[in-house]
Amino acid sequence: MSENHAAIAECLRRAGLLAAGELPVITALSGGVSCDVFRIDTAAGTLCAKRALPRLRVATVWEAPVDRSHYEVEWLAVARAAGLTVPRVIAELADEHVFFMDWFPPEDNPVWKAELAAGRIDPGFAAAVGHALAAIHTATRADPAMAERFPTDALFTALRIEPYLLHTARAHPDLADVLEGIARQTLATRDALVHGDVSPKNILCGRAGPVLIDAECAWYGDPAFDLAFCATHLLLKGIWHPQWQPQTDAAFAALHSAYLGRTAPALRTGIEQRTIALLAAILLARIDGRSPVEYLTAEADRDRVRRAARELLQTPPTTLAGFGDHWRQLTGHP
Ligand SMILES: Nc1ncnc2c1ncn2[C@@H]1O[C@H](COP(=O)(O)OP(=O)(O)OP(=O)(O)O)[C@@H](O)[C@H]1O
Ligand SMILES: [Mg+2]
């Protein structure tokens, strides 16, 4: 057993999840950038373990405080109470930055990113993601106790504001004022509990709909961030495979209309405009920020996104539907 696996086995023992003398079967899952994730088979059943890494597995050095693991556990509990389908947390060892949760078998719960990458783009599923986000934002809105439970401004700044907005501002000095303004506005908005990483790679396609995971960037702040972050991925899939653009456009429209139709009226004030600003900024960040998308490799595609995002930052449309139309025109092939 490797050192890593032995440490996880010890955590299982401490959490009371192993019978005396029992040796679990521990299988490392590939793919985690910020954590080690394991499938664990014990006599009592299968579960999933997640342990935060102090340094993210990306090309540039990117350190992140390991207590983010605890806020993921907290987010999962709040989401479950709000009626979302998420893994149930079975035990947490906060001092080890490890927690154990329900196992969602991949054969029944494929990662949405893989579905999208295979061209299976279902607007109905995107709408269900919009409904799930509306549900957790609505359940946590204007709640000072909830805000206190997530004292994660520093984490969110280090993991989201800096790499996406401020890094991009440095790459586009002529737009620095706009991007820094969006960063300030985002940090100043304290409306609801934000997941912070609503990417298709963090959404499983469960039988009953989306299963949200990976809430290490949880923060009490601007719900527009979740909607914009997720929408970015849908629009970029249509650049990657232009033949899919009708479906990615439909998925984008389904996501935002489902969200806006279901979220609490009190949250709706200004949210569309803030989402539009963040969407343009994060699209640009996915090219020139600290965490660019790996699948847009052709410089012509990257430049189409760059030009369109810059234009949409400078002249923001007034509605998300209008954003979709402009995006199509600006990125369309001649
Ligand atoms: N409860 C679970 N049941 C089954 N598989 C899971 C579970 N949680 C995570 N996984 C699998 O492990 C992968 C990585 O998990 P997660 O996204 O939480 O880790 P991460 O290291 O933060 O990932 P990244 O930083 O790459 O987004 C998921 O994409 C999924 O395939
Ligand atoms: Mg993930």
Side-chain angles (χ1 to χ4, degrees):
M1 201 184 268
S2 75
E3 204 183 303
N4 233 352
H5 289 203
I8 290 293
E10 181 51 28
C11 290
L12 280 162
R13 220 171 300 281
R14 273 184 59 198
L17 296 170
L18 292 181
E22 183 184 346
L23 282 180
V25 178
I26 301 177
T27 315
L29 303 185
S30 58
V33 169
S34 60
C35 290
D36 281 330
V37 181
F38 303 93
R39 173 189 166 135
I40 317 263
D41 290 288
T42 73
T46 302
L47 47 99
C48 183
K50 182 167 177 181
R51 173 174 229 166
L53 299 170
R55 183 175 285 188
L56 310 195
R57 291 189 188 104
V58 288
T60 50
V61 174
W62 183 343
E63 289 184 359
V66 276
D67 61 351
R68 65 190 194 276
S69 172
H70 174 68
Y71 298 109
E72 173 163 9
V73 168
E74 290 284 281
W75 186 91
L76 288 168
V78 174
R80 203 171 147 76
L84 274 69
T85 308
V86 295
R88 183 178 50 104
V89 174
I90 298 163
E92 177 190 16
L93 292 180
D95 59 333
E96 295 284 348
H97 318 294
V98 172
F99 68 95
F100 300 101
M101 60 183 143
D102 287 338
W103 173 251
F104 280 70
E107 52 283 12
D108 299 328
N109 302 275
V111 177
W112 191 25
K113 181 174 180 171
E115 292 296 294
L116 294 172
R120 290 188 288 273
I121 300 158
D122 174 7
F125 189 83
V129 172
H131 287 152
L133 292 179
I136 187 162
H137 293 165
T138 297
T140 59
R141 90 196 145 79
D143 182 346
M146 189 63 72
E148 257 175 50
R149 208 165 149 185
F150 291 86
T152 55
D153 281 17
L155 267 173
F156 191 79
T157 300
L159 295 171
R160 289 292 170 263
I161 299 291
E162 213 307 308
Y164 288 89
L165 302 179
L166 303 182
H167 189 96
T168 309
R170 290 192 289 277
H172 291 266
D174 62 319
L175 291 178
D177 282 354
V178 180
L179 288 160
E180 286 164 12
I182 295 170
R184 272 195 305 276
Q185 172 178 265
T186 305
L187 285 173
T189 305
R190 309 223 153 243
D191 283 355
L193 179 60
V194 172
H195 175 285
D197 199 2
V198 185
S199 154
K201 74 174 176 165
N202 293 327
I203 299 175
L204 309 179
C205 304
R207 286 209 176 122
V211 180
L212 268 69
I213 59 169
D214 200 3
E216 288 176 298
C217 297
W219 168 68
Y220 199 86
D222 189 354
F225 190 88
D226 280 343
L227 183 57
F229 203 81
C230 185
T232 304
H233 288 278
L234 297 177
L235 292 181
L236 291 176
K237 297 292 181 291
I239 302 295
W240 184 27
H241 289 289
Q243 73 275 24
W244 297 345
Q245 212 173 27
Q247 291 100 296
T248 56
D249 285 348
F252 169 72
L255 173 75
H256 69 71
S257 31
Y259 180 85
L260 294 175
R262 195 64 77 83
T263 201
L267 281 178
R268 278 185 221 139
T269 316
I271 203 170
E272 198 160 1
Q273 215 49 47
R274 296 198 312 277
T275 305
I276 286 165
L278 278 164
L279 179 53
I282 300 169
L283 283 164
L284 188 57
R286 286 296 181 178
I287 302 300
D288 293 323
R290 223 168 150 181
S291 183
V293 280
E294 76 289 359
Y295 50 80
L296 287 185
T297 49
E299 196 44 43
D301 286 343
R302 296 167 53 78
D303 211 44
R304 276 197 301 143
V305 174
R306 191 179 282 128
R307 280 164 195 271
R310 284 178 52 89
E311 175 66 32
L312 288 158
L313 269 174
Q314 285 163 304
T315 322
T318 54
T319 63
L320 281 161
F323 193 105
D325 294 341
H326 276 83
W327 173 256
R328 233 181 334 275
Q329 285 155 15
L330 290 164
T331 58
H333 284 292

